[in-house]
């Protein structure tokens, strides 16, 4: 009992002596970002959150000085706490945190990575594995043509974040007889104008992401607010490429799931904790894609989804 009291007093007066956690989860973005929350729900379904230190870099919303401060703080704490496993969610965290520990004694796990492994030269890194984020462009366009066979012109909207621009390198400009125009947008006023102008010029609206959009004061808006405005003013059938947007009211998507990324990453970390050699755990190229239909939105837009689609889609309302 006496030793326990002394130990607790030492932690109170010397917090650096507190027990270190084995896992550092480094998140590129901010806490309320739906993709992040979905990932955490999946990850912590596998891994006990009591063993994990979480760091948010705020790369989508923070000022450059704040983001750099977050990076420095994260690196300092990882080194101080001697974290054994570092999990990096999305490209910014891999580029600015995990990359510092390539070919060291740390065990590195990535998730949500849009850039190809060649960009990071991962074949030369012996202490890393993880989950790539594969956007299902062709499958999305195939579903779009199944539901709207007469659609000829689609507008794809995206912000200008590093992850979005990297993902769009794989997006074709044409699929069968469907022409896809890609527009990367920085400001909300431009987003508003683009959506409104699209109503009479395009057959469908595709939304990749809207997480890094600035308001008229130069501050980053919540992506949920951008989506909410879009759904209020858009009357084109919208197709999304991220599951959370369908849950928040968009019509349909062949979407990657943050939850599934969390599950897959958690299973990798669990193997590492059980002593499996990281070189024996190959990266995961594809996670499960989920066709999701928002039936309430279909009614609002007056769209009848074919039964052949509904039979194997996950529906929300």
């Amino acid at each position: 009992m006496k030793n326990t009291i002394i130990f607790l007093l030492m932690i109170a007066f010397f917090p650096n002596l507190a027990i270190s956690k084995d896992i550092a989860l480094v998140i590129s973005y901010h806490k309320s970002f739906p993709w992040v929350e979905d990932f955490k729900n999946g990850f912590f379904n596998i891994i006990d959150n009591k063993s994990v230190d979480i760091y948010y870099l705020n790369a989508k919303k923070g000022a450059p000085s704040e983001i750099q401060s977050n990076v420095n703080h994260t690196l300092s704490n990882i080194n101080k706490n001697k974290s054994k496993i570092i999990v990096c969610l999305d490209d910014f965290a891999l580029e600015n945190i995990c990359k510092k520990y390539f070919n060291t004694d740390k065990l590195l796990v990535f998730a949500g990575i849009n850039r190809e492994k060649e960009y990071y030269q991962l074949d030369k890194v012996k202490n890393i594995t993880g989950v790539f984020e594969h956007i299902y462009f062709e499958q999305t366009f195939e579903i779009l043509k199944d539901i709207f066979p007469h659609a000829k012109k689609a507008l794809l909207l995206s912000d200008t974040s590093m992850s979005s621009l990297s993902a769009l390198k794989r997006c074709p400009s044409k699929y069968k007889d469907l022409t896809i125009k890609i527009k990367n947008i920085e400001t909300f006023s431009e987003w508003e104008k683009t959506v409104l102008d699209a109503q009479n010029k395009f057959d469908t609206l595709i939304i990749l992401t809207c997480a890094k959009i600035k308001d008229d004061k130069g501050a980053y808006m919540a992506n949920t607010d951008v989506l909410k405005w879009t759904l209020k003013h858009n009357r084109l059938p919208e197709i999304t490429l991220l599951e959370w947007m369908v849950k928040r009211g968009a019509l349909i998507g062949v979407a990657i799931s943050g939850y599934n990324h969390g599950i897959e990453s958690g299973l990798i970390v669990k193997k590492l904790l059980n002593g499996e050699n990281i070189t024996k755990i190959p990266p995961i190229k594809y996670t499960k894609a989920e066709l999701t239909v928002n039936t309430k939105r279909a009614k609002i837009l007056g769209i009848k989804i074919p039964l052949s689609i509904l039979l194997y889609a996950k529906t929300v309302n």
Side-chain angles (χ1 to χ4, degrees), residues 54-242:
I54 305 177
Y55 304 94
Y56 297 93
L57 303 182
N58 202 20
K60 283 193 182 291
K61 297 181 70 176
S65 58
E66 178 198 348
I67 295 170
Q68 188 57 54
S69 176
N70 291 338
V71 169
N72 294 340
H73 169 77
T74 301
L75 290 170
S76 176
N77 275 18
I78 287 173
N79 293 333
K80 181 179 67 177
N81 296 339
K82 299 181 179 180
S83 306
K84 297 176 183 177
I85 300 172
I86 305 174
V87 181
C88 285
L89 179 59
D90 292 293
D91 288 83
F92 189 85
L94 178 56
E95 180 76 40
N96 291 274
I97 302 297
C98 275
K99 201 171 179 180
K100 308 290 185 184
Y101 300 99
F102 280 6
N103 294 316
T104 67
D105 61 350
K106 303 291 187 188
L107 301 176
L108 309 178
V109 178
F110 60 80
I113 299 304
N114 295 114
R115 284 175 165 162
E116 299 290 349
K117 66 178 183 178
E118 289 77 15
Y119 174 85
Y120 297 106
Q121 297 184 314
L122 294 185
D123 286 340
K124 298 180 181 179
V125 183
K126 305 303 181 185
N127 62 323
I128 194 167
T129 189
V131 187
F132 287 99
E133 181 181 336
H134 183 86
I135 303 292
Y136 293 89
F137 289 115
E138 288 82 3
Q139 293 90 335
T140 295
F141 302 146
E142 184 66 33
I143 291 293
L144 189 158
K145 290 297 293 181
D146 283 346
I147 302 175
F148 309 107
H150 302 297
K152 295 292 188 290
K153 295 193 296 183
L155 176 62
L156 191 156
L157 296 184
S158 168
D159 60 24
T160 58
S161 65
M162 178 172 64
S163 58
S164 299
L165 296 177
S166 296
L168 285 170
K169 290 179 180 178
R170 305 188 194 99
C171 180
S173 59
K174 195 170 184 66
Y175 183 82
K176 295 183 178 179
D177 64 343
L178 180 70
T179 299
I180 302 103
K181 180 179 180 181
I182 299 172
K183 192 168 180 63
N184 299 109
I185 296 177
E186 293 186 3
T187 66
F188 185 56
S189 58
E190 184 185 4
W191 184 282
E192 289 177 311
K193 184 178 186 305
T194 302
V195 171
L196 295 176
D197 288 349
Q199 301 303 303
N200 298 316
K201 297 178 181 178
F202 293 90
D203 302 311
T204 185
L205 185 68
I206 303 169
I207 307 172
L208 175 58
T209 185
C210 53
K212 204 169 185 179
I213 303 296
K214 293 181 180 180
D215 63 18
D216 57 2
K217 296 180 181 179
Y220 288 115
M221 297 178 60
N223 50 3
T224 49
D225 289 340
V226 177
L227 180 65
K228 183 178 180 180
W229 181 93
T230 304
L231 297 180
K232 182 177 180 181
H233 294 87
N234 175 57
R235 286 299 174 264
L236 298 173
E238 62 266 330
I239 315 297
T240 74
L241 297 159
L242 293 171

